[in-house]
Amino acid sequence: MMRTRPLKVALLGCGVVGSEVARIMTTHADDLAQRVGAPVELAGIAVRRTGRVRAGVPEELITTDATALVKRGDIDVVVEVIGGIEPARTLITTAFEHGAGVVSANKALLAQDGAALHAAAERHGADLYYEAAVAGAIPLVRPLRESLAGDKVNRVLGIVNGTTNFILDRMDSSGAGYSEALDEATALGYAEADPTADVEGFDAAAKAAILAGIAFHTRVRLDDVYREGMTEVTASDFASAKEMGCTIKLLAICERAADGQSVTARVHPAMIPLSHPLASVREAYNAVFVEAEAAGQLMFYGPGAGGSPTASAVLGDLVAVCRNKLAESTGPGESAYTRLPVSPMGDVVTRYHISLDVADKPGVLAQVATVFAEHGVSIDTVRQQGKDGEASLVVVTHRAADAALSATVEALRKLETVRGVASIMRVEGE
């Protein structure tokens, strides 16, 4: 039997995502009520400033006093889509203190202060759900947190930023340079006016921190994630990748160490074989590849950003939190029982593609090979081309620790016959 008294929802933020959440709640009110078991009523919408036309959003619900809204006492669920650290953090904790569950899409806040937010939610017997914080409409947080709760996840490898994937896809398919591809992404609305958070990997790093924490049942903060942007990727790098049967993607990689005693989380450009499922992810789509002990290899694919896809994930969480409210229960909270340390990037073991500018004369290859051997880095393949006294040397290594490779490169720079290091890129997905 359906309860007649409605569950009241406060919406914080009414931009691209928030306005779509409000629209769906209004137009699909009857369906939401059936799925929850009670009417779900949008009780108020907090915005920074009034006066802006918001199509389909009831004007009478708009307020600029977000604090008063979450303190009302009759609010059952707060949906936070304003982003940033403050005032989002204070508003969320205030919502918990006043008995409301929270649905958030705030990856930056969760990556930085997720542990404190989970603790506050537990302290007040409230829910904290955040499916929309990681990969838009793609169901990923809940499968990791619930569907795979009985399994052991060893690796999460994914494309979690649509802007960077669009840019790299254009560079790969059309031969465009980075600046040209970025301009196209901006014109199409895929890139912000200031694309720094995307192209420098900050957005993906926040998502990697959240994914690693859930997958490995340990606390991983944004500061624990190694981050490298993709602004230095060139058309020459793509040409080298194609010669290896690879393409280049900006990847978020979370791994459990082979001995199970630590984890790593990193974001950086990498070459991946064209045979890998992630290589075929085009345009602004996201995809995450999960490797679990019992389930094996799983891939989650779909639109990772945008108003409608992100709102879909928000509404899914809203239904879950509302159901929990009716049942007077809460869903899964933070699981950090393993307390595994996060290893530094220097300990990460992977393959490398190194392009060197060298003098075109006898003995150069031998000198370079000696430096690799002295630092314990084994060479898989090497290719040399040159004329008129100049040459390029492309080396692909077997798996080596990042620290050993860094020491090797520094030693190579000191050789008189090495004119410069043109590029260094990791090779993943094998």
Side-chain angles (χ1 to χ4, degrees):
M1 182 176 178
M2 182 178 293
R3 192 181 80 167
T4 56
R5 184 172 68 82
L7 290 160
K8 294 191 176 182
V9 178
L11 176 61
L12 308 182
C14 198
V16 173
V17 176
S19 58
E20 188 65 8
V21 169
R23 184 191 68 79
I24 295 173
M25 287 188 66
T26 303
T27 58
H28 294 188
D30 290 342
D31 285 338
L32 288 174
Q34 292 296 326
R35 294 167 191 175
V36 168
V40 180
E41 176 185 308
L42 188 54
I45 305 171
V47 298
R48 289 177 182 170
R49 60 185 67 88
T50 58
R52 174 184 162 194
V53 177
R54 296 173 172 87
V57 177
E59 195 64 32
E60 66 274 14
L61 298 180
I62 298 292
T63 177
T64 56
D65 194 343
T67 301
L69 179 60
V70 298
K71 282 184 174 181
R72 272 178 37 173
D74 64 337
I75 299 297
D76 296 290
V77 185
V78 170
V79 175
E80 183 271 310
V81 290
I82 57 178
I85 306 302
E86 287 291 356
R89 174 170 49 198
T90 299
L91 290 170
I92 289 174
T93 54
T94 301
F96 291 146
E97 291 166 1
H98 286 77
V102 171
V103 174
S104 176
N106 196 331
K107 53 189 171 287
L109 179 58
L110 288 160
Q112 179 174 304
D113 289 326
L117 292 178
H118 274 293
E122 184 176 2
R123 189 162 56 249
H124 295 286
D127 272 322
L128 175 59
Y129 276 56
Y130 44 90
E131 184 69 67
V134 175
I138 304 172
L140 187 58
V141 171
R142 197 167 299 164
L144 284 173
R145 194 157 74 163
E146 300 178 31
S147 303
L148 295 173
D151 207 339
K152 180 180 180 182
V153 176
N154 291 318
R155 195 174 196 227
V156 179
L157 172 77
I159 298 164
V160 294
N161 183 277
T163 301
T164 56
N165 198 58
F166 180 88
I167 293 170
L168 292 172
D169 181 45
R170 279 294 184 268
M171 292 176 71
D172 185 26
S173 61
S174 70
Y178 167 76
S179 296
E180 297 170 274
L182 174 59
D183 288 344
E184 184 179 356
T186 304
L188 292 171
Y190 291 130
E192 301 286 346
D194 179 2
T196 303
D198 295 323
V199 300
E200 293 294 350
F202 291 102
D203 176 84
K207 295 169 181 176
I210 295 169
L211 290 175
I214 299 170
F216 306 134
H217 303 278
T218 196
R219 286 180 179 166
V220 180
R221 298 181 74 252
L222 180 59
D223 292 344
D224 296 322
V225 182
Y226 173 83
R227 178 194 55 78
E228 192 178 306
M230 43 77 71
T231 58
E232 301 300 318
V233 176
T234 65
S236 177
D237 291 326
F238 273 101
S240 295
K242 286 181 179 180
E243 289 177 358
M244 292 178 59
C246 293
T247 189
I248 298 172
K249 299 291 186 181
L250 184 75
L251 298 179
I253 305 169
C254 311
E255 293 179 306
R256 190 191 300 268
D259 62 5
Q261 299 305 304
S262 64
V263 299
T264 60
R266 49 198 165 102
V267 169
H268 55 72
M271 295 181 180
I272 58 172
L274 294 175
S275 58
H276 194 281
L278 292 178
S280 61
V281 178
R282 311 300 297 271
E283 300 285 331
Y285 277 76
N286 284 192
V288 178
F289 202 67
V290 177
E291 298 177 11
E293 206 163 84
Q297 298 179 331
L298 307 170
M299 184 165 161
F300 300 83
Y301 171 85
S308 294
T310 306
S312 171
V314 169
L315 267 295
D317 279 350
L318 177 61
V319 169
V321 174
C322 285
R323 286 172 174 170
N324 291 343
K325 275 283 182 181
L326 290 180
E328 297 183 346
S329 65
T330 56
E334 182 188 33
S335 176
Y337 71 92
T338 63
R339 299 181 182 179
L340 295 173
V342 182
S343 296
M345 188 63 189
D347 293 346
V348 171
V349 176
T350 189
R351 296 179 68 203
Y352 292 85
H353 177 282
I354 305 105
S355 180
L356 305 171
D357 294 328
V358 299
D360 186 16
K361 62 182 185 180
V364 173
L365 180 56
Q367 290 179 1
V368 169
T370 297
V371 171
F372 276 89
E374 288 174 347
H375 290 84
V377 179
S378 176
I379 294 175
D380 182 17
T381 62
V382 62
R383 185 178 71 257
Q384 185 173 7
Q385 295 176 325
K387 63 180 180 177
D388 301 327
E390 298 295 329
S392 64
L393 194 65
V394 176
V395 178
V396 179
T397 74
H398 286 289
R399 291 173 64 83
D402 188 86
L405 194 281
S406 296
T408 302
V409 171
E410 286 306 307
L412 288 170
R413 293 183 195 275
K414 296 176 182 178
L415 292 178
E416 291 185 4
T417 51
V418 175
R419 307 288 170 79
V421 180
S423 68
I424 304 171
M425 190 165 294
R426 297 169 183 88
V427 182
E428 300 285 349
E430 295 184 315

